[in-house]
Amino acid sequence: MKAVITILAVVALASVPLWLRDPYLLNALITTGIFVIGAMSLNLLLGFTGQLSLGHIAFFGIGAYVSALTSLGFDVGLPGGFRVVHEPWPPIIGLVFAILAAGLCGYFVGLLSFRVRGAYFVIVTISFAEVVRLVALNWVELTQGPLALTNIPSIALPLPGLSELTLRTKMQNYYLVLVVALIAYLLIARLVRSHFGRAMRGLMENETLAVSVGIDVTKTLTLAAVISAAIAGAAGSLYAHYIRIIDPEVFAFINTVTMVIMVISGGKGSLAGPVVGGLIFGLLPVALRPVMAPEAQWIAYGGVLMAILFVLPRGIVPSLAQRLTRRRSGAKALALTETGVEERA
Amino acid sequence: MIARSVAMTIEQVAVRFGGLVAISDMSFTVGEGEIVSLIGPNGAGKTTAFNVMTGFLTPSAGRVTYRDTALNGLKPHEIADLGLIRTFQRTSVFPNDTVYDNLLIGLHRQGRVRLLDAILGLPSARASERKLRQRAGELIEWVGLERRAHDAAGSLSYGEQRLVGVALALAAEPSMLLLDEPVSGMNASETHRFVELIRSIRDRGITILLVEHDMPMVMTVSDRIVVLNYGRIIAEGTPELIRNDPAVIEAYLGHGAARA
Ligand SMILES: Nc1ncnc2c1ncn2[C@@H]1O[C@H](COP(=O)(O)OP(=O)(O)OP(=O)(O)O)[C@@H](O)[C@H]1O
Ligand SMILES: [Mg+2]
């Protein structure tokens, strides 16, 4: 049942560029897809370990900058008169570096905050995002500061035998994002259903009991932070090579908030939750644009979020799933009593 | 008495909470395969002793050694890795997971596979997963909760949750098990079944340290009893010895219980 829904959803998403020709809508879908990947990575932490990363956009932004700089090249002076010169490399290598760099940052943030428990992770992630934003803003020689990195090349896929396929059109980028999102989804699904995912759930539900059966808190949470950050880094890389311009505004707190809203509305701790929440809040601006000024839209988001949580308190996917199973088990119980009656009769 | 090798040594352990002395100068040993009970009035320091042995508390003085490893400074999960597993006085389960999934989480120590193998679903990871599922089923059967296997652990009765707690501890493959008031909240027949369970745990070669207020149970099941009062050991010996010890009767058993 679940698998059927998943396959249908994938087929539906894959068919979109075949019938949707409006470049504006396709563009909205691509950026939404990129943020959905970010939201999925946030959900791995928030939904499956209970840790709130309020600086999650830092990993996304680091991925964006690392990928952009790898593919643009740079020439910067370091203290002591050294110069580091990097010639441009293919963007696809930038994507790999983005994943590694963001994952490494996730490792250090995790290591710093998971030794002491409580609100530390929230605080460390917020501070980390702010520090990274300031670096991006002020290390002008590397990042161009507020002037932005421009002319970031599009991702090109190396094709065996042939030369390369540079992904310039919207349709190509749509499929790129869809494929990366699918990989991220499957990765997270496999992870949370494995032995590691059970350790995460155990820690979230009853930490004392979990450690008493041998689950290592620091290791488990740090692992989740690394994978989550790495996926966010991949999303950032896609963003940089699609938008092709990146500035320190990418680190704005509001971007983290958007991802948190996507996760909470769709349902944290459910695999499909961030996808559903992400599609709603990613595409809401498209629907609201003709009727509302951008500033007023935030009020509308708040309203929509509250309405969703009022009707479906655990988020769209978990609450709906709960209702379905309740109805079905109700039907089953009824069927049982009926057969019981027949037998006795 | 047969000479056994020593599993756990507690040497001059003291615990202070601010001005309160919860344990002072506690020393005793537990032999391999033995069932030792730690008894005493409320607030005597029994749970505190468990917390020290399992790394949840650092003692103010003294040391605990398990099978030649000093436990000082080890974290709870590291101590669990030595095979020293405890249960909790208050019911402790993973409430939102089914009983079956509770046991799968409890089987953590048996299920360690490489991350990449698990994500790629390699045969080794899948074989390990099959083994865990089978083991979880066996444990559920063993504590007699088959009919509750797919209910959320938090929805079970108090006594059933205690059984889940014990099954969880067993899932972690202990070589020594610390049980903190396992039958509190159980009715007489549940308690009777539990005594059988404890014996069969011991028959598997697992050493047991038991904290319990149910004296008939303690007297029937224990090889040896250690009595705590106000953080001090006031007596130690076989059940017959303890039953007739004037200091124990005075501090804890009362004159009625001695005849029971
Ligand atoms: N974390 C703590 N902080 C302060 N005092 C504590 C703490 N834990 C226990 N105590 C105190 O230490 C003493 C021993 O408590 P402990 O829980 O070990 O008793 P116990 O023998 O297990 O009692 P019971 O039979 O009621 O479970 C008590 O006076 C208790 O109030
Ligand atoms: Mg106690």
Side-chain angles (χ1 to χ4, degrees), chain A residues 162-248:
Chain A
L162 303 159
S163 57
E164 309 186 303
L165 173 66
T166 305
L167 306 180
R168 287 206 182 79
T169 68
K170 294 231 162 16
M171 188 196 264
Q172 290 164 339
N173 275 285
Y174 180 91
Y175 284 116
L176 174 69
V177 171
L178 185 62
V179 166
V180 175
L182 273 176
I183 293 171
Y185 186 95
L186 288 175
L187 176 76
I188 294 171
R190 281 277 173 86
L191 184 73
V192 302
R193 282 175 196 149
S194 78
H195 161 74
F196 298 94
R198 284 196 295 265
M200 291 173 199
R201 238 188 14 248
L203 283 172
M204 182 163 69
E205 279 187 69
N206 188 340
E207 182 172 328
T208 309
L209 181 60
V211 299
S212 84
V213 295
I215 294 172
D216 183 339
V217 188
T218 313
K219 199 173 125 194
T220 305
L221 294 185
T222 305
L223 177 80
V226 168
I227 295 177
S228 169
I231 295 172
S237 167
L238 293 182
Y239 184 77
H241 294 290
Y242 174 65
I243 303 284
R244 304 190 56 200
I245 170 168
I246 186 114
D247 69 18

Side-chain angles (χ1 to χ4, degrees), chain A residues 42-59:
Chain A
L42 180 69
N43 184 41
L44 176 59
L45 276 170
L46 182 58
F48 292 99
T49 72
Q51 300 296 316
L52 175 59
S53 164
L54 269 189
H56 209 60
I57 198 65
F59 305 120

Side-chain angles (χ1 to χ4, degrees), chain B residues 169-189:
Chain B
L170 284 173
E173 294 272 283
S175 50
M176 177 167 175
L177 188 57
L178 311 182
L179 297 165
D180 199 347
E181 301 195 18
V183 303
S184 78
M186 286 190 188
N187 60 34
S189 77

Side-chain angles (χ1 to χ4, degrees), chain A residues 95-141:
Chain A
L95 172 62
V96 174
F97 283 2
I99 292 170
L100 295 178
L104 197 66
C105 291
Y107 177 73
F108 286 117
V109 168
L111 217 54
L112 256 176
S113 45
F114 292 140
R115 291 185 182 281
V116 195
R117 311 301 313 287
Y120 282 81
F121 186 67
V122 179
I123 295 163
V124 170
T125 48
I126 293 180
S127 323
F128 177 68
E130 188 55 20
V131 168
V132 180
R133 190 183 71 85
L134 289 175
V135 170
L137 196 60
N138 292 303
W139 194 356
V140 175
E141 196 180 6

Side-chain angles (χ1 to χ4, degrees), chain B residues 17-18 20-23 40-49 51 57 89 180-181 211 213 228:
Chain B
F17 296 112
L20 178 91
V21 179
I23 295 180
N42 293 113
K46 305 176 298 286
T47 299
T48 304
N51 287 340
L57 254 182
Q89 179 171 353
D180 199 347
E181 301 195 18
V211 164
H213 285 295
L228 266 187

Side-chain angles (χ1 to χ4, degrees), chain B residues 6-11 32 52-53 63-75 78-84 175:
Chain B
V6 172
M8 179 186 268
T9 314
I10 294 101
E11 286 171 278
E32 293 281 358
V52 169
M53 294 167 193
R63 51 189 242 140
V64 180
T65 314
Y66 180 65
R67 290 190 167 175
D68 300 327
T69 308
L71 304 185
N72 293 42
L74 294 187
K75 290 192 193 137
E78 292 167 327
I79 292 176
D81 264 347
L82 299 173
L84 191 57
S175 50

